[in-house]
Amino acid sequence: DLTDKISAAGQQSVRGRSERMAFEQSFSTIYQFQCTYVSGTSYFPILGALAKFGPTEPWISYQRRDRVNNGGEVYIPVVMDEEIPDSEIIMKAMSL
């Protein structure tokens, strides 16, 4: 977090703010993997996953499905995009 913080005495300098914010904006996600779940359910049940496997790779949202006869689980790709998909797009794709 590179935003300005108010000091206890209110004396913090804001010099260099635009440079700090420009530096922050120069970063992009290279690799990421996170579980998808319904908010407020303490991470379970896991509905799927959202992943980006490299700097030139797309964002992929996977839906988790159980295999028959308690044979584990499999993740099926349901959304792929150059930009990170928002939760509405992911949930709509999982409901199809």
Side-chain angles (χ1 to χ4, degrees):
D1 182 13
L2 300 176
T3 57
D4 296 322
K5 303 289 186 239
I6 303 300
S7 64
Q11 300 297 320
Q12 182 175 358
S13 171
V14 293
R15 189 174 75 196
R17 177 187 299 177
S18 61
E19 290 85 1
R20 288 193 312 269
M21 300 311 286
F23 179 69
E24 177 186 26
Q25 295 299 318
S26 71
F27 285 86
S28 62
T29 302
I30 296 175
Y31 299 98
Q32 182 170 333
F33 186 90
Q34 68 186 54
C35 291
T36 304
Y37 56 90
V38 177
S39 179
T41 59
S42 75
Y43 308 116
F44 292 100
I46 295 173
L47 302 177
L50 178 63
K52 182 174 177 74
F53 293 115
T56 59
E57 298 298 319
W59 288 91
I60 305 173
S61 180
Y62 295 90
Q63 183 178 25
R64 178 186 163 275
R65 296 186 184 167
D66 292 323
R67 292 187 176 188
V68 295
N69 299 326
N70 216 11
E73 57 192 36
V74 64
Y75 288 78
I76 307 296
V78 292
V79 175
M80 184 169 61
D81 201 341
E82 294 299 317
E83 299 295 322
I84 186 168
D86 65 22
S87 59
E88 289 182 20
I89 292 172
I90 293 171
M91 294 308 289
K92 183 176 179 182
M94 287 187 180
S95 67
L96 296 177

